[in-house]
Amino acid sequence: MKNLKKMILCMLVAALVGSMLLTGCGKKGGNTDSTGENASQANVEENSSQNEENKSGMSEEELLRRQQLEVIPDDAVYKDASKSVEERVADLMSYMTLKEKAAQMVMAERNTASGGAGPADLQSYPLGSILSGGGSAPASGNTSQDWAKMIDQYQQVATEKTRLGIPILYGIDAVHGNSNLFGVTIFPHNVGLGATGDYELVEKIGAATAKDVRAIGANWIFAPTLGNPQYVTWGRSYECFSEDAKEVAPYGAAYVRGMQGVLGSDEFLSQSKALATAKHYIGEGYTMNGMNQGNVNMSDEEFDELLKSGVIEPFKQAVENGAKTVMISYNSVNGLKCHGNKHLITDILRGELGFDGIVIGDYNAIQQITVPGGKFEDQLLTAIDAGLDVTMEPFMWREITDDIVDFVENGKLSQERLDDSVRRILTAKFELGLFENPYSNADYIKETGSDESRELARQAVRESLVLLKNDKVAADKNVFDVLKNAENIFVAGKGANDIGTQCGGWTISWQGQTGKCTIGTTILDGIKEVTGKDAVYSRDGKDMPENTEIAIVAVSEIPYAESNGDRTYKSLQFMNSEWKVVEAIKEQNPDVPVLVILITGRTLVMDKYIDNADAIVCAWLPGTECEGIADVLFGDYDFTGKLNYTWFKTGDDFKDRKEDGVLFEKGFGLKKAD
Ligand code: GLC
């Protein structure tokens, strides 16, 4: 009898406590959320909406208790590295309030001067990730140490000064090495790597890049770009491996394996690895006239067919190789922005490709979605409903966090859909080991810009060179016979002596720049180093010494990125001043053989000029290690590169892409003896 009484009494007490919790009274210091409403009330609604969706298996009371805790016990399952990722994610989510969940979906720019989020902001808005847009370096300076100090500050607040201690993801455009930073090795842009046919090399470059990124405490690389440009009028052609998607695919997969590690291996997402980003999904190479962020002028059915014909392949292989994130593309298809295209993101990317990683938006791209009334919150809801997990609206991080809370509280967004995104984001963080190792790595910093990585870049430069023209300069000689024994070498052209030019866009700054912007070896320095000869340099080709045996002229594009690189078909050519250098040399001495080196992000119109050159080598955008060019010109290395783009004759030929307008076929590339 006594036990029965005791049991009844316990049940009465439990019921009383439960009802107190649910009504919100009796808890310490009720916190109010952003709507001003008492959080426990909001939580009650949330929990009631969670009722049918509550996947934690815990009672509503227990969930509420956890969300109300000021301090999380050290023995919480999610803090236990011996538990599985799934267990840790589920446990962590059971502690998260609605606002903490919403904040995980939000990425902000680090630059607080322009409205970004600083480390201290994470205490009120525990955001899931921070990014550096192109060139957004720490105010203190641009060395690895400066970056490491800055990013560690974010991680310290995130892991030690927020209720749950969830580390942030830090994203950066390390698109050809960790190229925002001064003094690091910068590899050839993808347009050059796509001429090598060497997937193992590309995988090594991905690994070297990831190590340089984890060195500074960043852990998410917005690369590789997997577009396949049809119109090189597009300013982002150089970010792409090939015009043919089927050729892009293995390069992208190799980059992903290098950056993240081989799926299923011990190194996968280990300390020297970073999240890769298969971007930009999808169709960016097919916009009308190659206009950046433009429209693909096809019906939905035609576009689906185009994807099936191969354009989806790079993303398919990236996903098969474990790519953890996909960035949505600015372009629209048939008038609908990809960021609002549920069919592409949810039906195809998630449904058909089975991608269950993080889908991130591009920079301010959500604001381009057309919605009735044009209100941002409707654009945001459209993007999340289409399948977006992380927003890259770098300066709207407060508004977005509050909007997502509001969407769930008002039933516009289901708790389940929010939980799907949060689960993917937390899974990546646990898999990366960030809860155990959130900070930068001083040992890796010591290896940044190492001889080993520079040798790798030099090899990439050698293998990316494509020999397009190789005329005889005498009955029994071509330029390479002359180069072999030349004593008096003349080097000309701006691009022959300019680190910034040879690196191209996305270098130190977003757009890149000319000049000595970082540490590296110019074409001229490389020639001097490899030959041991004191080559004579003249930027404009004038004052060529009488005894010159061979003239080497760089003809180059100036650096650019994204829309700044867009051209019309008529302006798809080198600046005239560049080829004038060749003419200046011919005028001084028509008998001196001229080797032209093209420093370019794309196959530009040059049909009027090529007769002036005895030989033409395309070096694309080689990065910091241009000794690789001298290695092939003067050394024992032969040319192995093959064109990964069709080279047309005139601007109109680039537009029409007709067979009779072809100057050099895709796949073309000569050897020294040809
Ligand atoms: C840019 C680019 C994207 C880049 C992102 C962050 O606009 O479209 O490739 O990763 O913004 O810098």
Side-chain angles (χ1 to χ4, degrees), residues 21-37:
L21 281 171
L22 284 175
T23 53
C25 62
K27 64 181 174 52
K28 200 163 53 71
N31 57 333
T32 55
D33 66 7
S34 57
T35 57
E37 190 183 342

Side-chain angles (χ1 to χ4, degrees), residues 1-14:
M1 190 54 180
K2 207 170 17 174
N3 283 345
L4 181 60
K5 272 187 186 168
K6 207 185 277 184
M7 195 168 71
I8 291 167
L9 187 61
C10 286
M11 283 168 71
L12 280 174
V13 167

Side-chain angles (χ1 to χ4, degrees), residues 131-134 173 222 236 239 279-280 327 330 362-363 392 506 562:
L131 90 146
S132 274
D173 288 283
F222 301 135
R236 306 196 73 167
E239 297 183 57
K279 74 180 189 181
H280 308 80
M327 187 183 293
Y330 281 114
D362 204 338
Y363 203 95
M392 191 195 285
W506 294 102
E562 301 194 51

Side-chain angles (χ1 to χ4, degrees), residues 253-289:
Y255 231 126
V256 168
R257 286 196 301 275
M259 285 183 175
Q260 297 189 158
V262 173
L263 187 58
S265 71
D266 290 345
E267 65 167 5
F268 187 67
L269 298 186
S270 59
Q271 268 206 66
S272 64
K273 299 301 181 184
L275 300 184
T277 309
K279 74 180 189 181
H280 308 80
Y281 184 83
I282 188 164
E284 58 190 342
Y286 287 81
T287 58
M288 239 171 8
N289 300 322

